[in-house]
Each structure stands twice: as C-alpha cells, then as structure tokens.
C-alpha cells in the first residue's frame, strides 16, 4: 500500500501505533502552541515519500478494517479526480463510544464546522505539498487550514469507520484550538 501514517508523538518513548503494510513518519512534538504545532505538522507531512498519507495521533487507533477503508478512499478519490478522501470516525470516550459520520463533502458546511474533515483523512502527497506552499503560517489549526485548501475541488467520502479517536483531554479541549479553527475558517473565507 503506497500510504504513510504521519504520527506526532509528545515523547520519543511514547506509543506510536503500528499500521500494517504502511510506511510511517514519526515526529516528536511536545507543544501546545498552535503556530509551532502547525509548522511541525506540515513539516512531518512534507517528509512523506509515498503517494498518499494521513495523520495518526499517537494516542489513537485504526480499526482492523483500515487497510480496506484506505484502499476504498484512494480509489474513490482517484475516480472523482480529487486529492482527499475522508471517512467516518469512532470516538471512544469514558463510558462508551459514538460514530461521527460527516456525510458527503460540502464546502460551506465545512467552513461552519471545522471538524467535518478530521479523522481519517487521506491526502494525495503531491497536492498537499503544493497546498502547503499557499498556506499562511501562525496560529491556525492544521487540519482545517490544509484540508479545506485541498478540498477546493471536492473530496471523496467513504461512509465507513476508518479511524478510532480515543478522545481524552488533548489539545481539542483548549481554547487556543477553537480559536485556531475559527482563524482557519476565516482565512479560507478571505476575512484574515
């Protein structure tokens, strides 16, 4: 499979999930500064050598069906002539789980709901490198900034769980993350 899992981890000894049949780029990043995190995440993605890649947080998991979901996503993206494919995600929380199913891509909905494209999102490497060159730097949320740029021509939706988000007390709970998500949406609307 010509796919790389880009894994950011807070410490060298931290857990880094194995992705059978896939390459890995592992980068140690221990920051809550959104500008620094953007730089680190973009640099990690820029190091990918395969045709496709995705972010995999060190504390999250992939379902056993991930290889077939990823293959289906790449096939759909290729057939639709788009550079990204995304899936449903299982969100594990204390006491249970739920599945987030974002549905077919709609740019206006994405601008209102920055986490519409969250996990699992497959990005065509060449297109992501080109998109990164057009993006601003600063306190922006990587996923919204990069993936909204890449979805300008649309995105392929795979209505299957492709990612397991072990939701805890991560960066998503910090006000700086919400602010960076809003700044990213405003940049895409030409308001920043």
């Amino acid at each position: 499979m010509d796919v790389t899992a880009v894994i950011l981890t807070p410490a060298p000894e931290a857990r880094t999930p194995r992705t059978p049949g896939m390459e890995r780029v592992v980068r140690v990043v221990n920051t809550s500064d959104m500008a620094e995190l953007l730089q680190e995440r973009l640099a990690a993605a820029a190091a990918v050598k395969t045709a496709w890649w995705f972010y995999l947080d060190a504390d999250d998991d992939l379902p056993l069906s991930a290889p077939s979901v990823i293959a289906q996503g790449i096939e759909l993206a290729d057939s639709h002539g788009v550079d990204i494919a995304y899936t449903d995600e299982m969100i594990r929380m204390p006491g249970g789980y739920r599945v987030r199913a974002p549905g077919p891509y709609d740019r206006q909905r994405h601008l209102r709901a920055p986490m519409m494209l969250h996990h699992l999102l497959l990005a065509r490497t060449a297109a992501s490198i080109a998109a990164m060159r057009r993006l601003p730097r600063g306190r922006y949320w990587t996923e919204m900034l990069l993936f909204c740029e890449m979805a300008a021509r649309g995105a392929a939706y795979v209505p299957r769980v492709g990612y397991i988000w072990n939701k805890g007390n991560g960066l998503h709970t910090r006000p700086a993350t919400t602010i960076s998500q809003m700044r990213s949406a405003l940049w895409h609307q030409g308001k920043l």
Side-chain angles (χ1 to χ4, degrees), residues 61-107:
D61 297 297
L62 297 176
L64 294 176
S65 60
S68 71
V69 175
I70 289 169
Q72 183 180 0
I74 291 170
E75 182 181 315
L76 277 174
D78 284 342
S79 70
H80 288 84
V82 296
D83 297 317
I84 61 176
Y86 63 101
T87 70
D88 296 342
E89 69 179 332
M90 178 185 291
I91 303 171
R92 272 194 200 137
M93 300 166 284
Y97 70 92
R98 69 181 176 91
V99 173
R100 182 195 337 241
Y105 188 72
D106 176 272
R107 187 168 181 84

Side-chain angles (χ1 to χ4, degrees), residues 34-186:
M34 297 310 289
E36 186 178 343
L37 186 59
L38 174 66
Q39 282 299 114
E40 292 291 341
R41 291 192 82 145
L42 293 180
V48 169
K49 304 293 183 212
T50 57
W52 291 87
W53 66 272
F54 63 94
Y55 285 123
L56 175 58
D57 292 343
D59 58 347
D60 292 339
D61 297 297
L62 297 176
L64 294 176
S65 60
S68 71
V69 175
I70 289 169
Q72 183 180 0
I74 291 170
E75 182 181 315
L76 277 174
D78 284 342
S79 70
H80 288 84
V82 296
D83 297 317
I84 61 176
Y86 63 101
T87 70
D88 296 342
E89 69 179 332
M90 178 185 291
I91 303 171
R92 272 194 200 137
M93 300 166 284
Y97 70 92
R98 69 181 176 91
V99 173
R100 182 195 337 241
Y105 188 72
D106 176 272
R107 187 168 181 84
Q108 291 308 310
R109 188 162 48 100
H110 187 196
L111 290 171
R112 291 188 309 274
M115 290 185 65
M116 178 184 178
L117 302 186
H118 189 218
H119 301 129
L120 169 79
L121 190 135
L122 299 160
R124 192 182 308 270
T125 303
S128 65
I129 300 296
M132 287 179 211
R133 292 186 190 114
R134 298 187 298 268
L135 299 177
R137 299 303 189 261
R139 288 183 169 83
Y140 296 95
W141 191 48
T142 311
E143 288 89 338
M144 176 64 181
L145 193 64
L146 177 58
F147 299 145
C148 193
E149 181 72 9
M150 292 183 70
R153 294 185 303 129
Y157 171 54
V158 180
R160 295 173 61 194
V161 172
Y163 195 96
I164 301 169
W165 179 20
N166 295 315
K167 190 174 181 179
N169 294 323
L171 283 176
H172 69 279
T173 63
R174 299 182 183 190
T177 302
T178 302
I179 292 168
S180 68
Q181 289 174 338
M182 292 184 315
R183 284 177 46 83
S184 299
L186 290 171

